Amino acid sequence: MAQEASSSTSSKTISLKTGDGEIFEIEASAAKQMKTVQRLIDDLGDDITIPLHNVFSKELPKIIEYYKKDITGEITKDFEAEFVKDLNDDEVKVLFLAANYLDANKLFEFLSQNIADRLESKSVEYVRKYFGVENDFTPEEESKLREERAWSFRGIKEDE
Amino acid sequence: MALHSNGTTGTIASLPSLPLELVEEEILSRLPVKKLLQLRCICKSWKSLISDDPKFAKKHLRMSNILKHKHLIMNVLGDRILWDSPLSSVFSNVSNHTVTLTELNNPISISRNISEICSCDGILCFTICEEGGQSAVLCNPSLRQYSTLPPLKNHRKREYDYQNAVYSFGYDHVNDVYKVIAISGKYTEVDVYTLGTNNWRSIQDFPYCPPCNHGVFVGGTVTWLAYEVSNRNISYVIVSLDLKTESYQKIPQPDLKKDHWTLGMFRDCLCIFASNKMLLDVWIMQEYGIKESWTKLYNVPYVGTQCTYPRTGYISDDDQVLFILYDLIDSKYKLVVYNSKNGNMNIPKIQQMDGFMILGVYVESLISLPCSY
């Protein structure tokens, strides 16, 4: 994550326009952490408002908040816990997709771990719905699978 | 390394489903194996990913190591039960915490005496002592899979037993295969079994007096503590077998007093646990094969008149040392955790452990064992 030692970018801000037409400002050094944004800046120049068709006004401010902390080196476990505390599972998913679109690696990895942590205690049905996956097993096939590894569906205290 | 999404809209009204590549790469690889086994039911492509995809298994193994999804396996000598505990529970410093134990079902074949446990990439290799001698059984405890090996005695067809073979286990990263190494106790004959094949292969004889205990998988080798006789003196010698070339090398030792030694591995470096009646020193070879790189890592002082000759030791990433101590006062074997940062010795509360313990540490893994021979 080397940052160019260019005095002209040190206090420069970039304008980002969301898919639903709102404009947000972000520091150039934070924009650098989002590879998609940086590529667009390289192509279009840093004076133009960068269009982000797949990111919306609900998510972008949160993402900007994360990277604002990142460039000052202030991201701690406490900050990260606080960052996701009030988000429900679907809101985290939307942020996660946005982080992927923006190629914002650090946020992407953090959110992947957060989603994994949330799903650890959820049922198979919940996970299926969450990812929008169709069940292509027949009921017999599924119950056979469950039987095969019945122990994995139990809690820590084993009955056997 | 984010992957290209398929341009879904992000409005609240139609929350997008996730493209499969994102899911498999990042999220699933962070889940514990138990959860992944449940998620095999989700659909056919997920089942295939979780159970039949070696590339995903490798990625999951990397994450498992990073996220420290590790467990301790314990067996009391002579007892039939194998106990499993998450390492985080063993190292917990919450007061009055009782270590969480799960009984690991195991087939009859290993419920006799386990004398050694080796570990690599989430696969354990048990050495079992039976009446006829010793044999080895492989296990992936995360998947509850067991695999027996072809009998060693059929390979050499000798009248004498191969029964006291010392078994070790490791990964040949060049050929992407796992290997079991057997050194016969009586002779210096060495045989290798490559997982997925049907038989043992003989390789060069062991160049020194054979080791009593299993070797450590470190730096692409299996390394043993063996013995050398010179000038009617018997001394320790450290010997490694490169798993790719299957050739031996003598590894220079540190100049230490002759205490009791055991080998271990920490941060992919070879370690020596050197103990006497008063203390335990842990030495690490920072650069494999370089004598000058032997450095003392920790010094663990015992309290009182306890006496320990640890057969197995494990060091956590945050510098806590786990070993077995025999308390002369209580006449009991105890598992001890020494925190090298603050000097505290903690004896985790573990029920059911009464007697000499054999330990192993494994990382959760999806690496599947080939069918039992």
Side-chain angles (χ1 to χ4, degrees), chain A residues 83-96:
Chain A
F83 187 79
V84 289
K85 196 174 71 150
D86 297 322
L87 299 175
N88 66 31
D89 294 348
D90 289 322
E91 287 166 333
V92 176
K93 183 165 67 172
V94 172
L95 263 183
F96 172 74

Side-chain angles (χ1 to χ4, degrees), chain B residues 59-109:
Chain B
K59 178 165 177 109
H60 177 270
L61 178 66
R62 270 198 305 278
M63 285 313 305
S64 224
N65 272 307
I66 292 170
L67 296 173
K68 307 197 180 97
H69 290 162
K70 293 190 179 169
H71 295 243
L72 184 69
I73 287 271
M74 293 168 275
N75 172 255
V76 174
L77 194 66
D79 192 18
R80 289 171 177 236
I81 304 179
L82 267 180
W83 296 102
D84 183 323
S85 175
L87 217 50
S88 53
S89 183
V90 177
F91 284 112
S92 165
N93 48 22
V94 171
S95 61
N96 277 325
H97 169 81
T98 306
V99 170
T100 318
L101 287 179
T102 310
E103 195 181 315
L104 210 59
N105 290 353
N106 57 80
I108 299 293
S109 59

Side-chain angles (χ1 to χ4, degrees), chain A residues 35 54 56 58-59 90 93-94 96-97 99-101 103-105 108-110 112-113 115-117 119-124 127-128 130-137 141-142 145-146 148-149 151-158 160, chain B residues 1-12 15-20 22-23 26-28 30-35 37-47 51 63 67 69 86 100-103 105 141-145:
Chain A
K35 298 208 191 86
N54 282 340
F56 297 82
K58 189 154 193 270
E59 302 86 66
D90 289 322
K93 183 165 67 172
V94 172
F96 172 74
L97 283 174
N100 178 56
Y101 172 75
D103 207 346
N105 201 46
F108 180 76
E109 283 186 3
F110 163 53
S112 316
Q113 187 60 49
I115 293 177
D117 293 340
L119 295 180
E120 211 180 308
S121 54
K122 297 290 201 290
S123 69
V124 170
V127 176
R128 211 182 255 135
Y130 188 75
F131 291 116
V133 179
E134 280 264 352
N135 183 1
D136 54 358
F137 285 122
E141 285 170 333
E142 184 175 341
L145 278 178
R146 282 171 181 265
E148 260 172 31
R149 307 282 175 125
W151 54 268
S152 66
F153 286 91
R154 283 189 221 114
I156 292 207
K157 294 266 177 284
E158 294 269 289
E160 291 176 50
Chain B
M1 36 118 337
L3 298 149
H4 184 61
S5 83
N6 59 11
T8 49
T9 60
T11 57
I12 308 282
L15 280 169
S17 59
L18 295 172
L20 188 62
L22 280 185
V23 167
E26 290 302 325
I27 301 175
L28 291 187
R30 293 160 189 270
L31 288 172
V33 173
K34 199 168 171 187
K35 191 73 203 168
L37 293 176
Q38 292 175 12
L39 299 183
R40 286 159 83 238
C41 300
I42 287 208
C43 68
K44 290 178 181 168
S45 58
W46 280 43
K47 174 177 179 276
S51 295
M63 285 313 305
L67 296 173
H69 290 162
T100 318
L101 287 179
T102 310
E103 195 181 315
N105 290 353
S142 315
L143 300 178
R144 307 272 170 109
Q145 270 185 346

Side-chain angles (χ1 to χ4, degrees), chain B residues 180-248:
Chain B
V180 181
I181 319 288
I183 305 177
S184 84
K186 214 163 183 170
Y187 309 93
T188 49
E189 285 160 355
V190 183
D191 299 298
V192 177
Y193 172 71
T194 300
L195 254 66
T197 64
N198 286 328
N199 38 254
W200 293 89
R201 277 179 297 116
S202 303
I203 64 170
Q204 271 178 61
D205 281 2
F206 195 77
Y208 297 92
C209 300
C212 298
N213 298 125
H214 69 87
V216 168
F217 172 63
V218 56
T221 75
V222 174
T223 302
W224 293 267
L225 192 64
Y227 304 90
E228 183 172 33
V229 180
S230 60
N231 302 328
R232 282 182 271 157
N233 267 335
I234 188 163
S235 58
Y236 282 132
V237 62
I238 300 179
V239 187
S240 76
L241 178 75
D242 181 305
L243 288 175
K244 183 220 160 208
T245 62
E246 294 178 353
S247 59
Y248 300 97

